[in-house]
Amino acid sequence: FTKVIGIILVAVLGGAVVVGGCLYSGYNRAVGFDEEVKSAWAQVDNQLQRRFDLIDNLVATVKGFAAQEQDVFLGVAKTRESYFQAKSSGSLPDQAKAAGAFESALSRLLVLREAYPELKSNESFLKLQDSLEGTENRLAIERQRYNDKVKLLNTFARGVLGKLYASLAGVKEAQYFDVPEAAKAEPKVDFSKKPTGG
């Protein structure tokens, strides 16, 4: 009889160790996926910050040639401010949405070069445009990496056991950073206000 009780105790302890190990492992995986998403977002945020740093100089250069395009400059300023407000609130979905709106405003700013040929040949503008294009390429790569990490986390968190582990770790599904449709559309800028004298 004692032997049977010993076997039962060993089986119960073994089961507890296995269950505990699974919970520990699953918990750590959920935390790890969450940290990877946060780390990937930090890289996206670095590139967004670099973009914003370049924009001040770009806007100043364009204003020198196209000062009357105030609606474009205001759009850039307002969407930039929206991004930093979303950043201070700590909401990644709001930051992603604001970054997308900024992309749309930025594309309107860059379209101005078509109406102002002297802007196309300005060395400062060309350098800034090259830097901005490099930043946009890096941003696209970091956005893809972020979305890949989000996919891993969300796939894990939607699984039967993953849902339990994520819940235990306090980890929620993350939101993808998609480019909004407005930013994909061709920008429309009204050049009818351009002065005739240059």
Side-chain angles (χ1 to χ4, degrees), residues 127-158:
K127 283 181 181 176
L128 287 167
Q129 189 177 359
D130 285 345
S131 295
L132 190 58
E133 285 173 5
T135 299
E136 292 300 318
N137 289 337
R138 285 189 290 278
L139 179 56
I141 290 166
E142 295 303 340
R143 182 186 354 234
Q144 182 59 52
R145 288 179 180 158
Y146 169 78
N147 284 340
D148 289 345
K149 298 297 183 187
V150 167
K151 181 179 178 184
L152 287 173
L153 170 63
N154 290 353
T155 301
F156 176 78
R158 292 178 69 192

Side-chain angles (χ1 to χ4, degrees), residues 77-114:
K78 284 169 70 175
T79 55
R80 179 181 178 174
E81 183 181 330
S82 296
Y83 176 80
F84 285 108
Q85 286 174 348
K87 186 174 180 177
S88 66
S89 76
S91 168
L92 293 187
D94 288 347
Q95 280 179 262
K97 183 177 177 186
F102 182 80
E103 284 178 24
S104 181
L106 177 59
S107 66
R108 291 186 69 212
L109 176 67
L110 292 175
V111 163
L112 290 177
R113 70 180 175 256
E114 301 305 322

Side-chain angles (χ1 to χ4, degrees), residues 157-180:
R158 292 178 69 192
V160 176
L161 291 177
K163 198 175 283 193
L164 170 68
Y165 301 142
S167 174
L168 289 173
V171 172
K172 294 182 171 56
E173 287 185 40
Q175 187 167 354
Y176 289 99
F177 184 2
D178 295 321
V179 178

